[in-house]
PDB file of all heavy atoms in Angstrom:
ATOM      1  N   THR A 378      -3.374  41.513  -2.047  1.00  0.00           N
ATOM      2  CA  THR A 378      -2.635  42.720  -1.683  1.00  0.00           C
ATOM      3  C   THR A 378      -3.518  43.950  -1.808  1.00  0.00           C
ATOM      4  O   THR A 378      -3.704  44.696  -0.845  1.00  0.00           O
ATOM      5  CB  THR A 378      -1.390  42.884  -2.582  1.00  0.00           C
ATOM      6  OG1 THR A 378      -0.542  41.760  -2.402  1.00  0.00           O
ATOM      7  CG2 THR A 378      -0.634  44.151  -2.235  1.00  0.00           C
ATOM      8  N   PHE A 379      -4.077  44.149  -2.988  1.00  0.00           N
ATOM      9  CA  PHE A 379      -4.718  45.429  -3.267  1.00  0.00           C
ATOM     10  C   PHE A 379      -6.172  45.522  -2.815  1.00  0.00           C
ATOM     11  O   PHE A 379      -6.626  46.607  -2.468  1.00  0.00           O
ATOM     12  CB  PHE A 379      -4.563  45.763  -4.754  1.00  0.00           C
ATOM     13  CG  PHE A 379      -3.124  45.954  -5.124  1.00  0.00           C
ATOM     14  CD1 PHE A 379      -2.469  45.048  -5.925  1.00  0.00           C
ATOM     15  CD2 PHE A 379      -2.417  47.028  -4.621  1.00  0.00           C
ATOM     16  CE1 PHE A 379      -1.128  45.219  -6.244  1.00  0.00           C
ATOM     17  CE2 PHE A 379      -1.076  47.214  -4.925  1.00  0.00           C
ATOM     18  CZ  PHE A 379      -0.435  46.302  -5.746  1.00  0.00           C
ATOM     19  N   TYR A 380      -6.901  44.433  -2.783  1.00  0.00           N
ATOM     20  CA  TYR A 380      -8.276  44.515  -2.277  1.00  0.00           C
ATOM     21  C   TYR A 380      -8.297  44.879  -0.791  1.00  0.00           C
ATOM     22  O   TYR A 380      -8.999  45.825  -0.402  1.00  0.00           O
ATOM     23  CB  TYR A 380      -9.043  43.212  -2.537  1.00  0.00           C
ATOM     24  CG  TYR A 380     -10.381  43.204  -1.851  1.00  0.00           C
ATOM     25  CD1 TYR A 380     -11.438  43.968  -2.334  1.00  0.00           C
ATOM     26  CD2 TYR A 380     -10.590  42.466  -0.691  1.00  0.00           C
ATOM     27  CE1 TYR A 380     -12.663  43.987  -1.685  1.00  0.00           C
ATOM     28  CE2 TYR A 380     -11.804  42.482  -0.044  1.00  0.00           C
ATOM     29  CZ  TYR A 380     -12.835  43.240  -0.544  1.00  0.00           C
ATOM     30  OH  TYR A 380     -14.040  43.260   0.113  1.00  0.00           O
ATOM     31  N   PRO A 381      -7.555  44.165   0.072  1.00  0.00           N
ATOM     32  CA  PRO A 381      -7.595  44.552   1.490  1.00  0.00           C
ATOM     33  C   PRO A 381      -7.070  45.961   1.751  1.00  0.00           C
ATOM     34  O   PRO A 381      -7.618  46.684   2.592  1.00  0.00           O
ATOM     35  CB  PRO A 381      -6.695  43.516   2.178  1.00  0.00           C
ATOM     36  CG  PRO A 381      -6.627  42.388   1.254  1.00  0.00           C
ATOM     37  CD  PRO A 381      -6.774  42.949  -0.118  1.00  0.00           C
ATOM     38  N   LEU A 382      -6.019  46.355   1.039  1.00  0.00           N
ATOM     39  CA  LEU A 382      -5.515  47.716   1.230  1.00  0.00           C
ATOM     40  C   LEU A 382      -6.541  48.746   0.777  1.00  0.00           C
ATOM     41  O   LEU A 382      -6.703  49.789   1.416  1.00  0.00           O
ATOM     42  CB  LEU A 382      -4.193  47.899   0.478  1.00  0.00           C
ATOM     43  CG  LEU A 382      -2.992  47.157   1.059  1.00  0.00           C
ATOM     44  CD1 LEU A 382      -1.768  47.328   0.166  1.00  0.00           C
ATOM     45  CD2 LEU A 382      -2.699  47.604   2.476  1.00  0.00           C
ATOM     46  N   GLY A 383      -7.256  48.446  -0.295  1.00  0.00           N
ATOM     47  CA  GLY A 383      -8.312  49.342  -0.758  1.00  0.00           C
ATOM     48  C   GLY A 383      -9.428  49.477   0.259  1.00  0.00           C
ATOM     49  O   GLY A 383      -9.918  50.578   0.522  1.00  0.00           O
ATOM     50  N   VAL A 384      -9.841  48.357   0.835  1.00  0.00           N
ATOM     51  CA  VAL A 384     -10.892  48.382   1.865  1.00  0.00           C
ATOM     52  C   VAL A 384     -10.419  49.183   3.074  1.00  0.00           C
ATOM     53  O   VAL A 384     -11.159  50.009   3.617  1.00  0.00           O
ATOM     54  CB  VAL A 384     -11.290  46.940   2.276  1.00  0.00           C
ATOM     55  CG1 VAL A 384     -12.181  46.942   3.506  1.00  0.00           C
ATOM     56  CG2 VAL A 384     -11.972  46.226   1.122  1.00  0.00           C
ATOM     57  N   PHE A 385      -9.179  48.947   3.483  1.00  0.00           N
ATOM     58  CA  PHE A 385      -8.642  49.627   4.657  1.00  0.00           C
ATOM     59  C   PHE A 385      -8.587  51.141   4.448  1.00  0.00           C
ATOM     60  O   PHE A 385      -9.086  51.909   5.273  1.00  0.00           O
ATOM     61  CB  PHE A 385      -7.241  49.086   4.986  1.00  0.00           C
ATOM     62  CG  PHE A 385      -6.560  49.825   6.082  1.00  0.00           C
ATOM     63  CD1 PHE A 385      -6.945  49.642   7.401  1.00  0.00           C
ATOM     64  CD2 PHE A 385      -5.542  50.729   5.811  1.00  0.00           C
ATOM     65  CE1 PHE A 385      -6.325  50.340   8.434  1.00  0.00           C
ATOM     66  CE2 PHE A 385      -4.919  51.431   6.824  1.00  0.00           C
ATOM     67  CZ  PHE A 385      -5.312  51.230   8.136  1.00  0.00           C
ATOM     68  N   PHE A 386      -8.003  51.581   3.333  1.00  0.00           N
ATOM     69  CA  PHE A 386      -7.861  53.021   3.102  1.00  0.00           C
ATOM     70  C   PHE A 386      -9.204  53.696   2.808  1.00  0.00           C
ATOM     71  O   PHE A 386      -9.404  54.855   3.165  1.00  0.00           O
ATOM     72  CB  PHE A 386      -6.844  53.294   1.995  1.00  0.00           C
ATOM     73  CG  PHE A 386      -5.436  52.999   2.437  1.00  0.00           C
ATOM     74  CD1 PHE A 386      -4.682  52.033   1.796  1.00  0.00           C
ATOM     75  CD2 PHE A 386      -4.870  53.674   3.506  1.00  0.00           C
ATOM     76  CE1 PHE A 386      -3.390  51.759   2.214  1.00  0.00           C
ATOM     77  CE2 PHE A 386      -3.584  53.405   3.931  1.00  0.00           C
ATOM     78  CZ  PHE A 386      -2.831  52.443   3.283  1.00  0.00           C
ATOM     79  N   LYS A 387     -10.123  52.977   2.208  1.00  0.00           N
ATOM     80  CA  LYS A 387     -11.467  53.515   1.988  1.00  0.00           C
ATOM     81  C   LYS A 387     -12.169  53.735   3.336  1.00  0.00           C
ATOM     82  O   LYS A 387     -12.825  54.760   3.539  1.00  0.00           O
ATOM     83  CB  LYS A 387     -12.276  52.563   1.112  1.00  0.00           C
ATOM     84  CG  LYS A 387     -13.663  53.052   0.787  1.00  0.00           C
ATOM     85  CD  LYS A 387     -14.370  52.056  -0.116  1.00  0.00           C
ATOM     86  CE  LYS A 387     -15.806  52.447  -0.369  1.00  0.00           C
ATOM     87  NZ  LYS A 387     -16.497  51.452  -1.198  1.00  0.00           N
ATOM     88  N   ALA A 388     -12.015  52.776   4.245  1.00  0.00           N
ATOM     89  CA  ALA A 388     -12.622  52.912   5.572  1.00  0.00           C
ATOM     90  C   ALA A 388     -12.015  54.086   6.326  1.00  0.00           C
ATOM     91  O   ALA A 388     -12.735  54.846   6.987  1.00  0.00           O
ATOM     92  CB  ALA A 388     -12.444  51.617   6.363  1.00  0.00           C
ATOM     93  N   LEU A 389     -10.696  54.245   6.234  1.00  0.00           N
ATOM     94  CA  LEU A 389     -10.054  55.378   6.908  1.00  0.00           C
ATOM     95  C   LEU A 389     -10.518  56.699   6.301  1.00  0.00           C
ATOM     96  O   LEU A 389     -10.731  57.677   7.030  1.00  0.00           O
ATOM     97  CB  LEU A 389      -8.532  55.274   6.810  1.00  0.00           C
ATOM     98  CG  LEU A 389      -7.849  54.254   7.711  1.00  0.00           C
ATOM     99  CD1 LEU A 389      -6.334  54.359   7.568  1.00  0.00           C
ATOM    100  CD2 LEU A 389      -8.248  54.407   9.163  1.00  0.00           C
ATOM    101  N   ALA A 390     -10.673  56.738   4.990  1.00  0.00           N
ATOM    102  CA  ALA A 390     -11.128  57.970   4.322  1.00  0.00           C
ATOM    103  C   ALA A 390     -12.545  58.332   4.746  1.00  0.00           C
ATOM    104  O   ALA A 390     -12.898  59.509   4.780  1.00  0.00           O
ATOM    105  CB  ALA A 390     -11.048  57.800   2.810  1.00  0.00           C
ATOM    106  N   LYS A 391     -13.348  57.332   5.077  1.00  0.00           N
ATOM    107  CA  LYS A 391     -14.714  57.585   5.533  1.00  0.00           C
ATOM    108  C   LYS A 391     -14.780  57.857   7.028  1.00  0.00           C
ATOM    109  O   LYS A 391     -15.865  58.022   7.583  1.00  0.00           O
ATOM    110  CB  LYS A 391     -15.609  56.389   5.194  1.00  0.00           C
ATOM    111  CG  LYS A 391     -15.890  56.254   3.717  1.00  0.00           C
ATOM    112  CD  LYS A 391     -16.873  55.139   3.465  1.00  0.00           C
ATOM    113  CE  LYS A 391     -17.266  55.107   2.001  1.00  0.00           C
ATOM    114  NZ  LYS A 391     -18.318  54.116   1.759  1.00  0.00           N
ATOM    115  N   GLY A 392     -13.624  57.879   7.698  1.00  0.00           N
ATOM    116  CA  GLY A 392     -13.573  58.207   9.117  1.00  0.00           C
ATOM    117  C   GLY A 392     -13.901  57.051  10.033  1.00  0.00           C
ATOM    118  O   GLY A 392     -14.195  57.262  11.210  1.00  0.00           O
ATOM    119  N   LYS A 393     -13.840  55.839   9.536  1.00  0.00           N
ATOM    120  CA  LYS A 393     -14.126  54.683  10.390  1.00  0.00           C
ATOM    121  C   LYS A 393     -12.913  54.348  11.246  1.00  0.00           C
ATOM    122  O   LYS A 393     -11.792  54.746  10.959  1.00  0.00           O
ATOM    123  CB  LYS A 393     -14.541  53.497   9.526  1.00  0.00           C
ATOM    124  CG  LYS A 393     -15.832  53.785   8.766  1.00  0.00           C
ATOM    125  CD  LYS A 393     -16.385  52.586   8.097  1.00  0.00           C
ATOM    126  CE  LYS A 393     -17.696  52.994   7.420  1.00  0.00           C
ATOM    127  NZ  LYS A 393     -18.268  51.916   6.676  1.00  0.00           N
ATOM    128  N   SER A 394     -13.129  53.582  12.277  1.00  0.00           N
ATOM    129  CA  SER A 394     -12.102  53.261  13.256  1.00  0.00           C
ATOM    130  C   SER A 394     -11.009  52.363  12.658  1.00  0.00           C
ATOM    131  O   SER A 394     -11.293  51.400  11.944  1.00  0.00           O
ATOM    132  CB  SER A 394     -12.746  52.547  14.445  1.00  0.00           C
ATOM    133  OG  SER A 394     -11.765  52.026  15.311  1.00  0.00           O
ATOM    134  N   PHE A 395      -9.766  52.699  12.997  1.00  0.00           N
ATOM    135  CA  PHE A 395      -8.623  51.902  12.550  1.00  0.00           C
ATOM    136  C   PHE A 395      -8.733  50.472  13.050  1.00  0.00           C
ATOM    137  O   PHE A 395      -8.448  49.528  12.319  1.00  0.00           O
ATOM    138  CB  PHE A 395      -7.318  52.542  13.052  1.00  0.00           C
ATOM    139  CG  PHE A 395      -6.105  51.697  12.818  1.00  0.00           C
ATOM    140  CD1 PHE A 395      -5.453  51.737  11.594  1.00  0.00           C
ATOM    141  CD2 PHE A 395      -5.605  50.859  13.805  1.00  0.00           C
ATOM    142  CE1 PHE A 395      -4.336  50.955  11.361  1.00  0.00           C
ATOM    143  CE2 PHE A 395      -4.491  50.077  13.591  1.00  0.00           C
ATOM    144  CZ  PHE A 395      -3.851  50.129  12.357  1.00  0.00           C
ATOM    145  N   VAL A 396      -9.136  50.320  14.304  1.00  0.00           N
ATOM    146  CA  VAL A 396      -9.182  49.010  14.939  1.00  0.00           C
ATOM    147  C   VAL A 396     -10.143  48.062  14.213  1.00  0.00           C
ATOM    148  O   VAL A 396      -9.866  46.868  14.080  1.00  0.00           O
ATOM    149  CB  VAL A 396      -9.564  49.145  16.436  1.00  0.00           C
ATOM    150  CG1 VAL A 396      -9.736  47.802  17.102  1.00  0.00           C
ATOM    151  CG2 VAL A 396      -8.523  49.974  17.165  1.00  0.00           C
ATOM    152  N   GLU A 397     -11.254  48.585  13.708  1.00  0.00           N
ATOM    153  CA  GLU A 397     -12.238  47.750  13.029  1.00  0.00           C
ATOM    154  C   GLU A 397     -11.713  47.196  11.704  1.00  0.00           C
ATOM    155  O   GLU A 397     -12.146  46.138  11.262  1.00  0.00           O
ATOM    156  CB  GLU A 397     -13.511  48.546  12.751  1.00  0.00           C
ATOM    157  CG  GLU A 397     -14.310  48.900  13.972  1.00  0.00           C
ATOM    158  CD  GLU A 397     -15.543  49.704  13.615  1.00  0.00           C
ATOM    159  OE1 GLU A 397     -16.130  49.450  12.539  1.00  0.00           O
ATOM    160  OE2 GLU A 397     -15.910  50.585  14.405  1.00  0.00           O
ATOM    161  N   TYR A 398     -10.791  47.906  11.075  1.00  0.00           N
ATOM    162  CA  TYR A 398     -10.324  47.530   9.739  1.00  0.00           C
ATOM    163  C   TYR A 398      -8.841  47.179   9.690  1.00  0.00           C
ATOM    164  O   TYR A 398      -8.289  46.991   8.613  1.00  0.00           O
ATOM    165  CB  TYR A 398     -10.623  48.662   8.747  1.00  0.00           C
ATOM    166  CG  TYR A 398     -12.087  48.763   8.450  1.00  0.00           C
ATOM    167  CD1 TYR A 398     -12.919  49.574   9.221  1.00  0.00           C
ATOM    168  CD2 TYR A 398     -12.660  48.027   7.432  1.00  0.00           C
ATOM    169  CE1 TYR A 398     -14.274  49.648   8.963  1.00  0.00           C
ATOM    170  CE2 TYR A 398     -14.003  48.093   7.159  1.00  0.00           C
ATOM    171  CZ  TYR A 398     -14.810  48.906   7.928  1.00  0.00           C
ATOM    172  OH  TYR A 398     -16.158  48.974   7.683  1.00  0.00           O
ATOM    173  N   GLN A 399      -8.202  47.028  10.828  1.00  0.00           N
ATOM    174  CA  GLN A 399      -6.763  46.775  10.840  1.00  0.00           C
ATOM    175  C   GLN A 399      -6.389  45.426  10.235  1.00  0.00           C
ATOM    176  O   GLN A 399      -5.314  45.288   9.649  1.00  0.00           O
ATOM    177  CB  GLN A 399      -6.201  46.892  12.248  1.00  0.00           C
ATOM    178  CG  GLN A 399      -6.645  45.817  13.210  1.00  0.00           C
ATOM    179  CD  GLN A 399      -6.104  46.054  14.603  1.00  0.00           C
ATOM    180  OE1 GLN A 399      -5.245  46.904  14.806  1.00  0.00           O
ATOM    181  NE2 GLN A 399      -6.607  45.307  15.567  1.00  0.00           N
ATOM    182  N   GLU A 400      -7.270  44.440  10.306  1.00  0.00           N
ATOM    183  CA  GLU A 400      -6.940  43.133   9.717  1.00  0.00           C
ATOM    184  C   GLU A 400      -6.788  43.234   8.199  1.00  0.00           C
ATOM    185  O   GLU A 400      -6.012  42.498   7.597  1.00  0.00           O
ATOM    186  CB  GLU A 400      -7.961  42.051  10.081  1.00  0.00           C
ATOM    187  CG  GLU A 400      -9.353  42.286   9.576  1.00  0.00           C
ATOM    188  CD  GLU A 400     -10.249  43.066  10.523  1.00  0.00           C
ATOM    189  OE1 GLU A 400      -9.789  43.533  11.572  1.00  0.00           O
ATOM    190  OE2 GLU A 400     -11.438  43.207  10.191  1.00  0.00           O
ATOM    191  N   TYR A 401      -7.501  44.173   7.577  1.00  0.00           N
ATOM    192  CA  TYR A 401      -7.328  44.394   6.136  1.00  0.00           C
ATOM    193  C   TYR A 401      -5.938  44.950   5.839  1.00  0.00           C
ATOM    194  O   TYR A 401      -5.318  44.580   4.841  1.00  0.00           O
ATOM    195  CB  TYR A 401      -8.400  45.340   5.594  1.00  0.00           C
ATOM    196  CG  TYR A 401      -9.760  44.711   5.490  1.00  0.00           C
ATOM    197  CD1 TYR A 401     -10.745  44.966   6.429  1.00  0.00           C
ATOM    198  CD2 TYR A 401     -10.062  43.857   4.436  1.00  0.00           C
ATOM    199  CE1 TYR A 401     -12.003  44.391   6.327  1.00  0.00           C
ATOM    200  CE2 TYR A 401     -11.313  43.276   4.321  1.00  0.00           C
ATOM    201  CZ  TYR A 401     -12.271  43.548   5.264  1.00  0.00           C
ATOM    202  OH  TYR A 401     -13.504  42.960   5.156  1.00  0.00           O
ATOM    203  N   LEU A 402      -5.461  45.847   6.692  1.00  0.00           N
ATOM    204  CA  LEU A 402      -4.111  46.383   6.519  1.00  0.00           C
ATOM    205  C   LEU A 402      -3.080  45.262   6.631  1.00  0.00           C
ATOM    206  O   LEU A 402      -2.186  45.156   5.794  1.00  0.00           O
ATOM    207  CB  LEU A 402      -3.829  47.470   7.553  1.00  0.00           C
ATOM    208  CG  LEU A 402      -2.392  48.003   7.574  1.00  0.00           C
ATOM    209  CD1 LEU A 402      -2.059  48.709   6.263  1.00  0.00           C
ATOM    210  CD2 LEU A 402      -2.182  48.926   8.764  1.00  0.00           C
ATOM    211  N   TYR A 403      -3.204  44.435   7.650  1.00  0.00           N
ATOM    212  CA  TYR A 403      -2.234  43.362   7.865  1.00  0.00           C
ATOM    213  C   TYR A 403      -2.259  42.356   6.711  1.00  0.00           C
ATOM    214  O   TYR A 403      -1.206  41.903   6.263  1.00  0.00           O
ATOM    215  CB  TYR A 403      -2.487  42.660   9.188  1.00  0.00           C
ATOM    216  CG  TYR A 403      -2.446  43.595  10.378  1.00  0.00           C
ATOM    217  CD1 TYR A 403      -3.295  43.415  11.453  1.00  0.00           C
ATOM    218  CD2 TYR A 403      -1.567  44.668  10.420  1.00  0.00           C
ATOM    219  CE1 TYR A 403      -3.266  44.271  12.543  1.00  0.00           C
ATOM    220  CE2 TYR A 403      -1.531  45.528  11.495  1.00  0.00           C
ATOM    221  CZ  TYR A 403      -2.384  45.327  12.564  1.00  0.00           C
ATOM    222  OH  TYR A 403      -2.348  46.175  13.630  1.00  0.00           O
TER     223      TYR A 403
END
Side-chain angles (χ1 to χ4, degrees):
T378 299
F379 296 111
Y380 172 74
L382 289 176
V384 170
F385 174 75
F386 289 119
K387 182 178 175 182
L389 285 185
K391 289 185 174 186
K393 297 190 178 176
S394 170
F395 172 84
V396 175
E397 291 179 35
Y398 288 90
Q399 68 183 349
E400 63 270 5
Y401 287 102
L402 174 64
Y403 302 144

